[in-house]
Amino acid sequence: MSEVVGIKFKDSGKLYYFAPKGLTFEKGEGAIVETARGMEFGTVVIANTDVPDADIKGDLKPVVRKASAEDIAKHQENLNKRHSSIRTAQEMANKRKLDMKFVDAEFTFDNSKVLFYFTSDNRIDFRDLVKEMAATFHMRIELRQIGIRDECKMKGGLGPCGRVCCCNDYMNDFERVSIKMAKHQGLSLNPGKISGLCGRLMCCLKFEDDYYADTLKFMPKVGSEIVTPKGKGVVVSIDVLRQTVVVKTTDASETVVNDEYNLEQLGITPVYPDRCSGCADCQNNDGDPDDEDDTDILPDTEE
């Protein structure tokens, strides 16, 4: 076990462990730490605690010091410069007619370097732009191209559900989302209804997919013939959450009847296999060999 403090550099960023080296931190306090990019200002999100050594990846770097009032003021000053810096960088790119959209800017704590994030549909040759920006900002410049999902994570916003986007609120990393997950949940494949603000499949499709994938393994398929208390019938629809099945049967008078049954009435016993938390086989194999491979591409389908 090792004593650590958990620190984030962005509200929606990753959590990093650092060695407190005798310092006691409270949640919400600022700390100055040394990273691969140099000295950085971070916010403590996990106070001093012990974690298993197996949970620590790489060498545990020490906290340099608690953030002083001067450190906090300097950090706030760096944050206040972001918007004007983004505007200036965008004007420079537009002047050179570069297809770039600047999204965010990060200044290192010591103001030795600024990292700009931008989106573009194409690869950009920005070597001349970097030289001009370095002469304007008088510090090292780094440009990093990001995807549309990263832009949504940085900017945030309200999703179709009315809540703050999951990626901006609490998700540290993106998980792969596929159209198969929407099919598992019986959702409309209309892109407008299963897409987030980024235009890609909503991250929340992943949250309940394990349950749907496991449940569909023992639920009868729509169109299949099964035996019911009223005789043989054809499955019309299934409700995965309620675990019920609507079956079409024909009575003695040749009248077609749709009846709803639960799994117990059909003699089906739910069986949920133990799933691991991260292996590719558990995440990608839903037991249906006819499904297409995972893809983030939405079909051109209207409801």
Side-chain angles (χ1 to χ4, degrees):
M1 301 289 284
S2 300
E3 185 183 16
V4 302
V5 290
I7 292 177
K8 282 188 175 184
F9 302 103
K10 289 185 177 181
D11 292 338
S12 58
K14 293 183 179 180
L15 172 69
Y16 297 92
Y17 288 137
F18 290 86
K21 291 298 181 180
L23 299 175
T24 302
F25 289 89
E26 298 292 335
K27 184 177 180 180
E29 286 187 317
I32 305 300
V33 297
E34 185 176 356
T35 69
R37 292 168 49 182
M39 292 293 183
E40 294 286 354
F41 179 98
T43 302
V44 176
V45 294
I46 298 179
N48 298 55
T49 187
D50 292 329
V51 299
D53 293 333
D55 292 345
I56 301 174
K57 298 179 181 180
D59 296 330
L60 195 64
K61 293 186 177 182
V63 175
V64 176
R65 65 178 183 273
K66 283 189 175 185
S68 63
E70 291 79 6
D71 293 331
I72 296 174
K74 185 176 181 180
H75 174 64
Q76 188 59 49
E77 181 182 350
N78 288 339
L79 293 179
N80 293 339
K81 293 189 296 185
R82 289 171 52 245
H83 296 296
S84 61
S85 300
I86 294 172
R87 186 166 54 250
T88 301
Q90 188 66 62
E91 291 173 353
M92 292 180 179
N94 293 342
K95 182 180 178 181
R96 293 179 176 272
K97 297 182 179 180
L98 297 176
D99 181 23
M100 304 171 68
K101 178 185 176 184
F102 284 89
V103 177
D104 199 3
E106 290 181 4
F107 288 84
T108 56
F109 181 71
D110 59 3
N111 273 281
S112 62
K113 184 175 72 171
V114 57
L115 170 61
F116 286 95
Y117 297 93
F118 72 93
T119 60
S120 178
D121 294 332
N122 307 300
R123 292 181 62 88
I124 305 295
D125 183 358
F126 46 69
R127 287 173 292 183
D128 291 337
L129 176 63
V130 169
K131 294 177 182 179
E132 182 182 358
M133 293 174 67
T136 300
F137 291 99
H138 303 290
M139 60 180 68
R140 291 171 56 202
I141 303 294
E142 181 178 342
L143 301 185
R144 184 173 300 173
Q145 186 170 355
I146 60 174
I148 188 67
R149 297 180 79 190
D150 298 292
E151 179 184 4
C152 187
K153 180 178 176 66
M154 289 180 177
K155 289 187 172 182
L158 297 180
C161 60
R163 303 188 58 166
V164 176
C165 292
C166 297
C167 60
N168 177 260
D169 188 24
Y170 65 89
M171 288 178 62
N172 293 330
D173 293 302
F174 289 110
E175 294 191 59
R176 184 171 177 78
V177 185
S178 70
I179 196 68
K180 190 193 307 182
M181 296 176 183
K183 292 180 180 179
H184 284 168
Q185 300 175 39
L187 300 177
S188 165
L189 298 186
N190 184 338
K193 295 189 176 182
I194 56 177
S195 302
L197 296 184
C198 59
R200 301 296 180 87
L201 292 171
M202 294 186 294
C203 296
C204 57
L205 291 176
K206 172 65 178 176
F207 298 166
E208 298 177 356
D209 184 63
D210 287 350
Y211 168 80
Y212 278 92
D214 284 339
T215 304
L216 286 172
K217 290 178 181 179
F218 55 77
M219 294 284 286
K221 293 184 179 296
V222 174
S224 63
E225 187 177 75
I226 61 174
V227 178
T228 73
K230 292 185 178 181
K232 290 185 178 180
V234 177
V235 177
V236 176
S237 64
I238 61 175
D239 189 323
V240 178
L241 289 178
R242 295 172 57 220
Q243 295 190 4
T244 59
V245 181
V246 176
V247 183
K248 179 176 67 175
T249 57
T250 304
D251 59 18
S253 62
E254 299 298 322
T255 302
V256 176
V257 180
N258 290 337
D259 294 303
E260 185 178 77
Y261 301 94
N262 58 41
L263 297 184
E264 184 179 358
Q265 292 173 307
L266 297 175
I268 300 175
T269 302
V271 178
Y272 288 98
D274 294 333
R275 299 178 69 98
C276 71
S277 59
C279 106
D281 291 337
C282 286
Q283 291 182 358
N284 296 329
N285 180 23
D286 67 349
D288 188 351
D290 295 329
D291 276 341
E292 70 276 14
D293 292 336
D294 288 348
T295 175
D296 286 333
I297 301 176
L298 287 166
D300 186 13
T301 306
E302 294 296 335
E303 185 181 22

